[in-house]
Amino acid sequence: MKRRSNTTTDRRGGLFGNFAVGAALVALGVWLSTLQHDAWWLTPPPASHWIGAGLAILAYAGFVAMALYRSRPRNGGEADADASTPTTLVVWASQTGFAQQLAQRSAQSLADAGQPMRLLPIDRLDLATLATAQRVLFVASTTGEGDPPDHALGFVREVLAQPAQLHHLEYAVLALGDREYADFCAFGHRLDAWLRQHGARALFDLVEVDNADAAALRHWQHQLGLIGGDTGAADWEPAKFDTWTLRERRVLNPGSLGAPVFHLELAPPPGARWQAGDIAEIRVAETPQISREYSIASLPAEGGLKLLVRRQLRADGTPGIGSGWLCDQVPLHGDVAVRLRANPNFRAPTTSRPLVLIGNGTGIAGLRALLAQRVAEGARRNWLLFGERQRQHDFLYREDIERWQAGGCIERLDLAFSRDGDSGIYVQDALRANADTLREWATQGAAVYICGGQQNMAPAVDAVLRETMGNATIEAMLADGRYRRDVY
């Protein structure tokens, strides 16, 4: 993406400068007009000269004011967008200016995608604004020992200390920090907890950034692309890709009512390492400025990097840029540009902790990798809940799952196929039907991991979890890392 200066600020500054120069020239003209008089240094110019000069300055000021009004920021500065159009607030809390810069880039990304938005410093955000907003994106840094930036202190006193009704609000948080400090990203987490506590719905899980980590920023930018409907934007900070080889590609759900899902396996270059939960970013060869994120479905010990890719279709019926290229165009044994992104928020828990894995569709990819690790480590307290359309066609990774279940590595398996018969059962329904078992596992210290669609499945599952165990329990599980999500 071509980097853009803040043209609104530049234009306004230029107009103010022009006004100052123009006023100075008018004043100079008045002074020069006195030179036609003898003893001009003793005799003041006629009153008519001063009146004319004043009128000229007023006229010039009026011209500049009109120009300033016409150049006021729209959808990129600190002004309201059209009130009749849903608007995204992009709010920054910055101590050194980096969070502000990232907020400006985020706002520009939304604007480039045609999304109405408003950019604000956090000290200008109040409860009344939150009450009327539909979506808020926070870019928040932490300073000192877990403190908010200085200009956010008023917001902490006047907003975070107050109750609020935010059930109408969608939000996301980009939290900036330094892992060398004990309270890493503390202010971002405090914002996230307050928003959740008062009913706001997270668009996706909080993104932590350790010392401007480029991979985390790419993940935030990817999520912005999903929000704005523009996943084709170039990276803010390009990173190095490695060359991998497409070893295998096959359709896993022939005959499905849904779009085809392809299993891809890539042979890694020497030295490639990843863990369960990590993300593969694929650069599209036909459009090299574009990359796509996919949950990794395998461990390095399995010899290759496994992905699940659903071939998406655009409005005109043509395949999507990324999925079309991967599913249809890359030749077997052809090169694929890959970079791996660590995802520490979706690492498997300790083997002694029971694990509940919930997902739908291609979300089984991330869950499969976690299960593969748990199996390798001998952890047997695993409960998988998986949902798709038809059991006959869409039971993705069926052989692996049934083999692990038969070997006692999956203690409980619940499946929900929404298009089988007339039941219309989804994964959240299967979870609700097993509420007693869920509470039992939770009391035994189980962690809950979710992978799959963030638009429907993830919020529906979250609602069942809160309905079953209560908001306080879920908030406690979020705080101690027992409730984690990788949704898209």
Side-chain angles (χ1 to χ4, degrees):
M1 177 174 63
K2 182 179 179 181
R3 297 183 184 218
R4 303 183 180 184
S5 63
N6 189 330
T7 54
T8 299
T9 301
D10 293 344
R11 187 182 302 118
R12 289 162 65 90
L15 288 169
F16 277 119
N18 290 342
F19 173 69
V21 171
L25 289 174
V26 172
L28 179 62
V30 172
W31 179 77
L32 289 174
S33 71
T34 66
L35 298 181
Q36 63 183 314
H37 302 286
D38 292 334
W40 55 270
W41 60 90
L42 297 175
T43 306
S48 60
H49 284 221
W50 290 113
I51 293 171
L55 291 174
I57 291 174
L58 287 173
Y60 191 80
F63 166 78
V64 172
M66 178 60 71
L68 285 171
Y69 174 79
R70 290 179 176 176
S71 68
R72 69 195 188 281
R74 292 182 176 88
N75 296 344
E78 296 181 2
D80 288 319
D82 184 349
S84 64
T85 306
T87 301
T88 298
L89 297 180
V90 181
V91 179
W92 54 269
S94 185
Q95 188 72 13
T96 64
F98 184 51
Q100 180 179 3
Q101 179 187 23
L102 293 178
Q104 289 168 340
R105 288 185 177 185
S106 301
Q108 189 64 60
S109 294
L110 294 174
D112 289 344
Q115 294 288 315
M117 38 95 356
R118 184 183 179 193
L119 179 63
L120 283 177
I122 199 166
D123 50 278
R124 290 189 54 190
L125 181 64
D126 55 23
L127 285 173
T129 304
L130 284 173
T132 58
Q134 294 185 336
R135 180 185 295 156
V136 183
L137 308 181
F138 288 93
V139 182
S141 65
T142 296
T143 187
E145 296 295 337
D147 299 321
D150 293 343
H151 75 115
L153 293 175
F155 175 84
V156 171
R157 280 193 313 270
E158 298 166 13
V159 179
L160 289 193
Q162 304 297 324
Q165 294 295 327
L166 302 177
H167 293 83
H168 65 284
L169 187 66
E170 297 179 328
Y171 78 93
V173 177
L174 180 68
L176 312 182
D178 184 338
R179 287 194 184 274
E180 292 186 2
Y181 290 87
D183 294 318
F184 175 59
C185 291
F187 182 54
H189 281 283
R190 184 175 177 183
L191 274 173
D192 181 66
W194 181 84
L195 289 160
R196 287 182 184 273
Q197 178 186 353
H198 293 92
R201 182 173 71 84
L203 292 162
F204 47 88
D205 285 351
L206 176 144
V207 177
E208 294 179 337
V209 181
D210 179 21
N211 282 317
D213 175 57
L217 293 177
R218 288 196 304 272
H219 179 58
W220 172 260
Q221 188 185 1
H222 173 77
Q223 296 290 355
L224 288 180
L226 296 178
I227 291 172
D230 178 16
T231 55
D235 286 342
W236 292 341
E237 300 292 341
K240 181 179 179 295
F241 283 83
D242 294 315
T243 300
W244 298 53
T245 303
L246 180 61
R247 176 189 291 165
E248 181 183 356
R249 178 175 57 208
R250 56 191 171 88
V251 178
L252 291 187
N253 63 339
S256 172
L257 293 174
V261 174
F262 286 76
H263 162 82
L264 281 71
E265 184 170 333
L266 303 175
R273 294 289 182 270
W274 67 92
Q275 298 183 49
D278 286 352
I279 303 295
E281 300 177 51
I282 308 294
R283 185 171 66 191
V284 181
E286 302 297 314
T287 316
Q289 74 274 20
I290 293 177
S291 65
R292 293 288 188 265
E293 290 189 348
Y294 298 96
S295 297
I296 299 174
S298 58
L299 303 178
E302 296 180 85
L305 188 145
K306 298 180 180 181
L307 305 175
L308 281 184
V309 180
R310 191 183 298 274
R311 186 203 281 135
Q312 303 286 354
L313 296 181
R314 291 179 283 193
D316 61 0
T318 58
I321 295 175
S323 64
W325 181 72
L326 281 171
C327 297
D328 301 328
Q329 299 179 36
V330 183
L332 277 176
H333 311 296
D335 291 343
V336 179
V338 180
R339 62 188 174 198
L340 302 177
R341 178 170 68 78
N343 188 14
N345 286 331
F346 209 61
R347 296 275 190 258
T350 61
T351 55
S352 60
R353 186 179 295 281
L355 179 59
V356 181
L357 303 113
I358 307 169
N360 70 333
T362 55
I364 193 63
L367 301 184
R368 185 203 176 277
L370 292 170
L371 278 169
Q373 179 178 332
R374 299 273 289 181
V375 170
E377 294 174 343
R380 305 170 74 86
R381 295 291 323 274
N382 303 305
W383 176 11
L384 174 63
L385 298 100
F386 172 66
E388 245 289 0
R389 288 176 176 82
Q390 301 165 279
R391 184 186 185 102
Q392 180 181 353
H393 304 292
D394 300 305
F395 192 169
L396 306 175
Y397 289 133
R398 178 174 187 164
E399 292 181 1
D400 292 333
I401 292 170
E402 291 184 340
R403 182 178 73 253
W404 289 334
Q405 183 186 27
C409 296
I410 297 179
E411 181 176 314
R412 186 179 180 96
L413 175 64
D414 287 281
L415 304 171
F417 294 101
S418 61
R419 303 298 178 87
D420 281 351
D422 300 325
S423 58
I425 294 177
Y426 295 89
V427 67
Q428 59 267 26
D429 302 314
L431 185 64
R432 182 180 285 110
N434 292 282
D436 291 340
T437 304
L438 177 61
R439 281 188 287 265
E440 178 184 347
W441 280 57
T443 60
Q444 296 168 358
V448 177
Y449 282 43
I450 300 174
C451 193
Q454 71 178 17
Q455 292 299 318
N456 297 308
M457 185 276 296
V461 167
D462 182 80
V464 173
L465 290 172
R466 292 174 184 275
E467 164 192 317
T468 302
M469 295 188 288
N471 284 331
T473 299
I474 296 301
E475 294 303 322
M477 292 177 67
L478 282 166
D480 65 14
R482 290 172 53 208
Y483 180 23
R484 299 174 182 257
R485 305 191 307 172
D486 180 16
V487 297
Y488 46 85

